[in-house]
Amino acid sequence: MAYKLDAKTPAGPLAEKWSNHKAAIKVVSPANKRKLDIIVVGTGLGGASAAASLGELGYNVKIFCISDSPRRAHSIAAQGGINAAKNYQNDNDSIYRLFYDTIKGGDYRAREANVYRLAEVSNLIIDQCVAQGVPFAREYGGLLANRSFGGAQVSRTFYARGQTGQQLLLGAYSVLNKEIAAGSVKSYPRHEMLDIVIENGEACGIIARNLVTGEIERHGAHAVVIATGGYGNVFFLSTNAMASNGSAAFQCYRKGAGFANPCFTQIHPTCIPVHGTQQSKLTLMSESLRNDGRIWVPKKMEDVEAIRKGAKLPSDIAEEDRDYYLERRYPAFGNLVPRDVASRAAKERCDAGFGVNETGLAVFLDFKTAIERLGKETIKQRYGNLFDMYEEITDVNPYEQPMQIFPAVHYTMGGIWVDYNLMTTIPGLYAIGEANFSDHGANRLGASALMQGLADGYFVLPYTIGDYLAKKIQAPKIDTTTKAFDEAEAGVRARIERLFAIKGNQSVDDIHKRLGLIMWDNVGMARTKESLEKAIVEIQALRKEFYKDLKLVGDNNSFNVELEKALRLEDFLELGELMARDALNREESCGGHFRSEHQTEDGEALRHDDKFAYAAVWEYKGIDEVPEMTIEPLEYEFVHRAQRNYKD
Amino acid sequence: MNFTLKIWRQRDAKSQGAFETYKVTDISADTSFLEMMDILNNNLIHEGKEPVAFDHDCREGICGMCSMHINGHAHGPSQAVTTCQMYMRKFKDGSTITIEPWRSAAFPVIRDLVVDRGAYDKILQAGGFISVRTNSVPDGNAIPIPKKDADESMDAAACVGCGACAATCKNGSAMLFVAARVSSLAKLPQGKVEGARRAKAMVAKMDELGFGNCTNTGACQAQCPKSISIAHIARLNREFLAAKLQD
């Protein structure tokens, strides 16, 4: 049965939608909030800020995270910054401009109303974080400093050295700690949600595994919030943390929540290239480096070959023999084009044979001009920690020779479908931050992930969840001894037993690496009908192999990392296929989704607004069944959809 | 490169642990230390043995999840990096590497190299925050902060909460961790309001949880992967004394 999707987008002028909506939705009185329980799964920027804010409001909140502390969530690794429309630089920034840049950056595949709200609350986030003691960078006059990021012509990114995500997360974690101390939030670290429980069509709790003891636990609540981030690790090699996974979101999908635009994956242009076959993850070099770094490859093939052989150093190549291809192709934005554009341009040069390392999959990010202009000391102040990290990993000093970079999987714009209230297709089940699909369309701009996580958690969900919970004020505590909980728990136990019973020969990592290669080769930066059809067949075959040949050691009743990984891989093996199916359906190129069949003469993404101006929302039908797609049309009332132009 | 690994194996907090010896071969110099552990674990799985449990996550040196005492040093012999950011080129080919969990009374072993650092969360819950409510705040630029103070606050805020300081300290003191948080907030006008209460509450909680006293040996600073300075301990002591004098 297809979904009846209602985005609940409020009527009225763009700038008044959120205010009107807030005025129209219900609120819950303090006396009633005390009677209501909320579960938040995940403690990154979205989950921590939501849990703290909901706790302050008086709800009883339980938070779950797979790490040993809420502070470890992968939001912590975000380097560059967070956008806000403060216009502190007086460069004619505004809420409208941030909204417009975000909608355009997303290649017109996000909802106007959601994106406008995001831009609207962005300014509150900065105020909030400053008050929490986040040590943002300051100017000498004591006021907040900004820097530029891709996809924008204004300077609106707030930052704390190269550790902005860390500082924002520690801010959210600190107010979370305040609420834990106050007793309004109870924390369950080293716990993993393994199923969502649904009764009478409404979310009423979760089944979680205590990762230390292996115990399977039942937790009931009047609403459940999924804040578990993205699923980029389906590619095995990505910039995500090792334990980042798509499983909580996937359980929701399996139980009936719509999954939107799963093929929208962000490939980040500036990562340290892959070396060898023993690598476990890829390391991001912040987008902020593109403020001062210039991207190039040699113009002459003989120079490329000389560099690969070590006969020449990059610094030996004369200025006129360098192809600063982003500056050449996109004069207006230069090195600060959006990520999808920069990644594809790097691929184009490497495909043409100009890749500068032995694998042919690397380009240069060079600070020579900036060091000449600003001096080494200034560059060190701005990017010192990133330069040190680069040298630690590659043994090359980036003050002397340019960095080598190549695109890598970084973020997933797709996710659980939510309406304007951030509620999924299952009543009482919410998804926030990277886990939902709502705000970034087909490509996310740099410094906007932190903005969205905190917008959802501090300023959107705490209001919109009340509209649902107002109907629950008479509801008793959730009974966790019902049939729905029995069945969910039995399902989890059966799943775990099944994996242990396989007793095959391949480890989780052996199979995960193979899945990653299938995904990268066929569902990566450039996709075709043939590659996607091939991926579907290969993933299905690999999944069968997984169920026949997985080798899982240890037991369920203790700390067992292999079991955790096996359960996550099991979900990735279905999620990968879903991504390929979605990419196959979307016969256009937009943002991070590039179908080679659909490009302009200049090799830019060619959208087909007449056919694909929609969110594709997938409904689960069973493990080897084809999911059903429902579309949510994206109607643009305020912005004219144009081909994105970063040239002039 | 080839290595002999002496690794601490311990089933759970109640079991006795012991060192086991393993060999890894054909490791590239560009492999990270944790990737070397991955290779060992994949080999163990194929031999039907349980892999070595160790904490790790971001592998970019920022989440604070990885730990490990390597050849007697917290986060290994390299200066100012976490274990995940260390590469095998730092070790001599053919050498023996000894790997242990954090050794601290306040961090009980969960399994092998994994310890429970929940005590650090508890210390921060005692007062490591500014009591602001969502939306009850002034404009960000309404609180000008001298660049020097913001920078110093950031220096302290770089702490990743990994536990190396307490694990390294011969007294098992968490002073550097507590000081980093107290100092980071004390350098900001927003943080000063609750400064006295914060310093007292966090120090009291640290004592209650079984961490030892600071005797200024400076070992914590030397082993800190983020080079947090013990100057912050001096600031904590000032904050603490000032708070006590107000009592």
Side-chain angles (χ1 to χ4, degrees), chain B residues 1 10 15 29 34 38 70 78 86-87 96 98 122 128 137 140 149 152 155 160 171 182 184 192 212 225 230 241:
Chain B
M1 302 175 90
Q10 183 173 343
S15 309
L34 295 186
D38 293 340
I70 302 164
S78 292
M86 200 164 36
Y87 288 78
T96 298
T98 306
K122 291 195 181 84
V137 299
D149 291 346
E152 278 183 46
D155 289 342
V160 294
N171 309 318
V182 165
S184 173
K192 288 202 165 79
I230 51 170
L241 271 177

Side-chain angles (χ1 to χ4, degrees), chain A residues 526-571:
Chain A
R527 303 152 172 190
T528 63
K529 182 168 183 287
E530 289 70 39
S531 78
L532 294 165
E533 285 171 344
K534 181 164 165 262
I536 291 170
V537 172
E538 289 184 359
I539 295 166
Q540 287 173 343
L542 187 63
R543 199 161 63 224
K544 289 206 169 64
E545 219 178 303
F546 172 87
Y547 286 114
K548 270 196 205 123
D549 201 32
L550 175 71
K551 188 180 181 78
L552 187 54
V553 292
D555 58 68
N556 178 32
N557 303 316
S558 62
F559 189 85
N560 187 343
V561 177
E562 282 304 298
L563 172 60
E564 297 168 27
K565 283 160 59 181
L567 288 163
R568 293 170 198 154
L569 176 60
E570 190 183 15
D571 295 330

Side-chain angles (χ1 to χ4, degrees), chain B residues 205-219:
Chain B
K205 182 56 84 173
M206 172 177 70
D207 292 344
E208 179 197 319
L209 292 170
F211 289 98
N213 293 314
C214 173
T215 50
N216 282 314
T217 67

